[in-house]
Amino acid sequence: MLLPLAVVFAVLATAGWIAGADEPLPDAYEAELAAWARGTAAGEPLPDPSMAPESTARFFEGLSPGQRRRLAERYPLVVGNMAGAPVRLRYRANRRALVTARDVERARMRDPRLSAAGQHEAGRRMHRFESLLRPGRQILSFDPTGQGRVAEVFGDLETAGRVSVVVPGVDTGLLTFERTVGRYTAPAGMAAALYAAQRDVLPSGGGTAVIAWADYDAPAGMAMSAATAGRAEAGAARLTTAVSALPGDARVALFCHSYGSVVCGVAAAGLPSRVTDITVAGSPGMRASHVSELGTDARVWAMRARGDWIEDVPHMELGPLGFGTDPVEPSFGARLLTAGAARGHSAYFEPGGAGLVQMAAIGAGRADRVTCAPGVRGCAPSAPCSAIGGL
């Protein structure tokens, strides 16, 4: 009975309004969480799905393969978003959740109770879910609620020795997770470009993986939330949990664009020690006046392209407003990288661009290969430990 119930709630919850409705209705994820709270496995109550990743991992290790599979089939949205659950089980669960979400939106496209705008929105969401269901895609997290959240993995996350996490900025959601036009301005395109560039740095592949991490509620571009750290604080907590849950002992580098750099700055002090590098591009600030205030031993890198409008944003912090010192200011203390010929706020991940080349070297564990910003000397570490196998 659970799956049909989840479908009903998903129909009621999605972004298109039912004609005449004044309030959004309950969503599928909340309904499934409530069902999970009443469920059992091996005769025991199911644990809190928000428990620490280590506890989640121990819970699933204690189950048989059949029990794990049944939980993923019965509660796909819960299992697919549980940090610490087996990676391939999460892929399986999220694929099942995406099939359901796609079918719901397909039905809503023809629902006469919806406005024309609601039916159009349903079509857009249906096509997005169909795209995420394409063979070979590895969806690490998925929540269709509201603007939606999603994370996708490029490469083999379970065997990678180096993992890169791309943290995007404002206006990020399910519908903007990937784009046909402007592919490399969207999280999926950014991560795909970074993964390909890392494989150029390490032709053998070198055991790298990249995550397009759009798994937080990013603010809208013109909303007040885009000028404050409220969304960043919530996103930082989710980012810390996600990084802590990564399998194995791979070293991790964060690549944070625009408002995503605020998320990374707020998260920095709480990130596990496996995070060796934090790179910000087009940053409005990291909620700090100096790298020492971030509370991390990770190397902090910063770059800004010519013509990036973020340069004209006031870099200050006044109560909840603003994000502190510009990370490309020498006084901030970050290692300054060249963005080459890139222009504007969204060109950092363009294939072949100097910005992407620098990030790929850092993510692949070859920070000794980066190029400093014009006029800056000594940004790149020269010690042998800067290469893979060190640090």
Side-chain angles (χ1 to χ4, degrees):
M1 291 294 292
L2 180 65
L3 187 57
L5 178 63
V7 171
V8 170
F9 275 106
V11 171
L12 297 175
T14 42
W17 295 93
I18 293 177
D22 296 318
E23 296 292 337
L25 292 157
D27 63 78
Y29 196 9
E30 290 297 325
E32 205 170 281
L33 284 169
W36 173 277
R38 299 189 298 270
T40 61
E44 297 293 329
L46 295 174
D48 183 350
S50 63
M51 62 186 171
E54 299 83 0
S55 299
T56 298
R58 285 195 297 271
F59 165 70
F60 280 100
E61 286 170 1
L63 300 177
S64 69
Q67 289 169 332
R68 294 176 200 161
R69 184 174 60 253
R70 284 190 290 275
L71 286 179
E73 291 172 351
R74 194 171 299 170
Y75 311 102
L77 284 172
V78 176
V79 174
N81 287 284
M82 285 184 75
V87 168
R88 295 190 182 280
L89 188 70
R90 291 179 68 178
Y91 294 163
R92 182 189 186 109
N94 285 320
R95 186 166 189 82
R96 186 176 182 89
L98 276 162
V99 168
T100 298
R102 178 202 60 191
D103 293 346
V104 166
E105 298 300 338
R106 183 175 287 153
R108 294 178 65 248
M109 290 171 62
R110 299 182 295 273
D111 190 337
R113 297 170 298 170
L114 291 179
S115 64
Q119 291 176 338
H120 176 72
E121 185 77 357
R124 294 181 66 204
R125 289 169 65 92
M126 188 274 289
H127 288 300
R128 171 63 63 245
F129 300 151
E130 280 192 332
S131 177
L132 292 172
L133 280 166
R134 287 201 307 265
R137 301 195 73 166
Q138 302 174 132
I139 307 304
L140 186 64
S141 61
F142 168 68
D143 179 1
T145 306
Q147 68 182 21
R149 296 193 291 251
V150 63
E152 181 176 10
V153 175
F154 297 83
D156 191 336
L157 192 58
E158 295 175 296
T159 63
R162 304 281 312 193
V163 175
S164 298
V165 183
V166 175
V167 183
V170 298
D171 293 326
T172 297
L174 281 169
L175 293 179
T176 57
F177 182 69
E178 56 186 349
R179 294 188 176 99
T180 301
V181 178
R183 178 185 178 191
Y184 302 109
T185 67
M190 292 176 179
L194 183 59
Y195 181 59
Q198 287 180 358
R199 294 174 69 83
D200 288 340
V201 173
L202 300 169
S204 64
T208 64
V210 179
I211 302 173
W213 192 82
D215 197 21
Y216 78 106
D217 295 321
M222 298 301 291
M224 178 59 72
S225 57
T228 64
R231 296 288 184 97
E233 290 167 358
R238 295 182 65 85
L239 178 62
T240 300
T241 298
V243 172
S244 299
L246 292 175
D249 56 1
R251 289 165 182 157
V252 179
L254 305 183
F255 298 93
C256 320
H257 178 242
S258 193
Y259 189 87
S261 65
V262 187
V263 176
C264 292
V266 174
L271 292 168
S273 60
R274 69 196 298 185
V275 176
T276 60
D277 297 273
I278 300 173
T279 302
V280 299
S283 173
M286 299 181 74
R287 292 293 285 184
S289 60
H290 190 269
V291 288
S292 60
E293 296 179 7
L294 295 174
T296 179
D297 292 329
R299 295 178 297 202
V300 179
W301 311 77
M303 72 173 78
R304 185 165 63 217
R306 289 178 294 173
D308 187 339
W309 56 261
I310 206 75
E311 181 178 6
D312 299 322
V313 172
H315 288 84
M316 57 82 178
E317 187 175 342
L318 182 62
L321 290 174
F323 307 118
T325 302
D326 186 343
V328 300
E329 283 293 324
S331 64
F332 185 73
R335 299 168 183 263
L336 303 182
L337 299 166
T338 182
R343 295 193 63 85
H345 189 60
S346 302
Y348 295 98
F349 290 84
E350 286 288 337
L356 183 64
V357 170
Q358 312 312 311
M359 290 187 284
I362 293 167
R366 295 308 307 265
D368 56 319
R369 294 189 179 184
V370 302
T371 302
C372 304
V376 174
R377 290 191 293 179
C379 77
S382 57
C385 66
S386 64
I388 286 180
L391 194 60

